[in-house]
């Protein structure tokens, strides 16, 4: 494993220690994974410093479960692989995700991570019937109680597979769908108790239950897994470089033609809601995100 250095920060800042489960080799998207997530998550809140510790999931080098209490949460990024690939490291990571859910460990999963989370918990992931989605998209939020501060979210996308059916019986809810993407994301929440597991003073270890009641008396469930099909990390400086390499790779592999490449490149200037998504993620890691 390797560890990135946290940003220099005043002593009164809040700190979050996250385990980044690396899901790609050091090429195209993969070589940007750690700097992308470091830049993106650390830009979300001026009072929060995020420290990422990288583990190579493709080499089956995951953090031992007895060390999980040292982390405020886990991050599972994108990959060129599919969630349904019959590969040992994917089976190992699938089992890890199942345990993360069972222990209600805060987990952020992006693109492949989103798909593998759905697959691990009983959902269905397939090749997208609408073809490769390599562009900018906006989708309406189907989950009105998620405190996103907006009725829709805008993101950049690069994926061939899609979550066709979300898991049942695990507290999962879809964040929304469009014609080109059946499931844009999921929030997975539970109303049962959660063990102390956070490393930070403001993290999950300070919480005794995953449920609370709002002023109306309605039960709120604490979110412990948040997933997105889009790539909010593409907004970071490293992400800007990564997405251009990804677009060229998709074109080279024949996933998109010249017209598709030109259109996707043109849309790179469009605004996204990446910062808002990072703020939701930090709230989940600190045990504050309810739905």
């Amino acid at each position: 494993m390797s560890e990135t250095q946290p940003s220099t920060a005043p002593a009164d800042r809040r700190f979050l220690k996250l385990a980044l489960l690396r899901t790609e080799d050091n090429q195209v998207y993969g070589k940007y994974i750690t700097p992308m997530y470091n830049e993106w998550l650390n830009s979300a809140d001026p009072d929060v410093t995020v420290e990422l510790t990288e583990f190579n999931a493709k080499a089956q080098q995951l953090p031992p479960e007895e060390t999980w209490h040292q982390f405020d949460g886990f991050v599972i990024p994108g990959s060129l692989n599919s969630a349904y690939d019959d590969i040992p490291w994917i089976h190992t990571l699938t089992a890890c995700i199942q345990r993360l859910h069972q222990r209600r460990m805060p987990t952020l999963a992006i693109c492949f991570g989103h798909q593998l989370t759905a697959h691990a918990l009983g959902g269905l992931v397939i090749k997208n019937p609408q073809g490769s989605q390599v562009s900018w998209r906006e989708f309406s939020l189907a989950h009105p109680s998620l405190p996103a501060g907006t009725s829709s979210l805008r993101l950049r996308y690069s994926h061939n597979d899609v979550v066709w059916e979300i898991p049942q019986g695990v507290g999962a809810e879809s964040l929304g769908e469009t014609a080109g993407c059946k499931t844009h994301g999921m929030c997975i929440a539970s109303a049962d108790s959660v063990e102390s597991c956070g490393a930070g003073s403001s993290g999950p270890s300070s919480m005794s239950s995953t449920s609370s009641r709002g002023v109306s008396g309605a039960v709120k469930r604490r979110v412990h897994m948040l997933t997105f099909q889009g790539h909010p990390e593409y907004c970071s400086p490293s992400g800007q470089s990564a997405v251009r390499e990804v677009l060229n790779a998709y074109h080279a592999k024949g996933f998109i033609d010249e017209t598709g490449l030109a259109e996707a490149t043109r849309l790179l200037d469009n605004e996204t809601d990446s910062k808002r998504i990072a703020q939701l993620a930090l709230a989940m890691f600190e045990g504050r995100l309810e739905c």
Side-chain angles (χ1 to χ4, degrees):
M1 77 180 188
S2 61
E3 189 168 60
T4 62
Q5 294 298 315
S7 304
T8 302
D12 59 349
R13 290 190 69 160
R14 306 195 308 277
F15 287 83
L16 289 171
K17 185 174 182 179
L18 307 179
L20 176 65
L21 309 185
R22 185 182 180 86
T23 49
E24 194 47 77
D25 297 323
N26 192 29
Q27 56 185 338
V28 192
Y29 173 84
K31 67 184 179 184
Y32 295 102
I33 283 179
T34 299
M36 275 193 298
Y37 281 87
N38 186 49
E39 294 162 2
W40 170 52
L41 292 172
N42 273 297
S43 69
D45 188 329
D47 295 323
V48 177
T49 294
V50 174
E51 178 183 286
L52 297 176
T53 302
E54 181 186 300
F55 297 86
N56 191 341
K58 287 200 77 170
Q60 301 192 64
Q61 296 171 354
L62 298 175
E65 189 168 344
E66 60 267 23
T67 69
W68 287 5
H69 68 280
Q70 300 174 11
F71 300 100
D72 292 291
F74 295 76
V75 179
I76 307 173
S79 175
L80 297 178
N81 285 104
S82 293
Y84 45 78
D85 285 344
D86 187 11
I87 301 174
W89 75 266
I90 291 182
H91 299 322
T92 300
L93 185 54
T94 296
C96 176
I97 291 171
Q98 292 166 346
R99 284 296 293 148
L100 289 171
H101 168 65
Q102 290 165 2
R103 291 185 55 178
R104 308 299 189 255
M105 305 295 284
T107 303
L108 173 67
I110 303 298
C111 197
F112 167 81
H114 155 73
Q115 296 163 7
L116 189 61
T117 298
H119 174 77
L121 301 182
L124 177 63
V125 178
I126 63 172
K127 193 69 69 180
N128 193 350
Q130 300 299 319
S132 298
Q133 302 296 303
V134 188
S135 189
W136 174 96
R137 293 285 184 269
E138 181 174 11
F139 69 95
S140 297
L141 275 171
H143 202 308
S145 61
L146 190 71
T150 180
S151 60
S152 63
L153 289 173
R154 302 162 297 174
L155 282 174
R156 297 184 181 120
Y157 290 77
S158 57
H159 64 103
N160 296 318
D161 295 339
V162 68
V163 175
W164 196 250
E165 296 176 3
I166 67 171
Q168 300 297 310
V170 296
E173 296 188 48
S174 172
L175 297 184
E177 68 175 278
T178 58
C181 183
K182 178 69 172 177
T183 308
H184 279 273
M186 301 183 297
C187 61
I188 301 177
S190 175
D192 59 9
S193 296
V194 61
E195 61 184 282
S196 292
C197 57
S201 60
S202 61
S205 60
S206 64
M207 306 297 179
S208 60
S209 170
T210 57
S211 63
S212 64
R213 289 184 179 273
V215 293
S216 65
V219 173
K220 287 276 191 176
R221 302 179 304 145
R222 185 160 297 140
V223 176
H224 63 274
M225 286 185 159
L226 188 62
T227 78
F228 291 93
Q229 180 60 74
H231 285 272
E233 77 279 18
Y234 279 167
C235 74
S236 68
S238 295
Q240 293 287 344
S241 298
V243 67
R244 293 180 185 280
E245 289 203 30
V246 169
L247 291 181
N248 289 330
Y250 267 67
H251 177 251
K253 291 178 179 292
F255 295 146
I256 54 175
D257 57 18
E258 288 286 347
T259 301
L261 176 62
E263 176 66 5
T265 302
R266 182 184 67 81
L267 293 173
L268 289 179
D269 292 332
N270 283 17
E271 292 291 326
T272 72
D273 292 300
S274 293
K275 183 174 182 178
R276 184 58 190 138
I277 291 173
Q279 291 168 342
L280 290 173
L282 296 190
M284 176 187 65
F285 291 134
E286 292 189 319
R288 299 183 286 106
L289 186 61
E290 296 180 332
C291 66

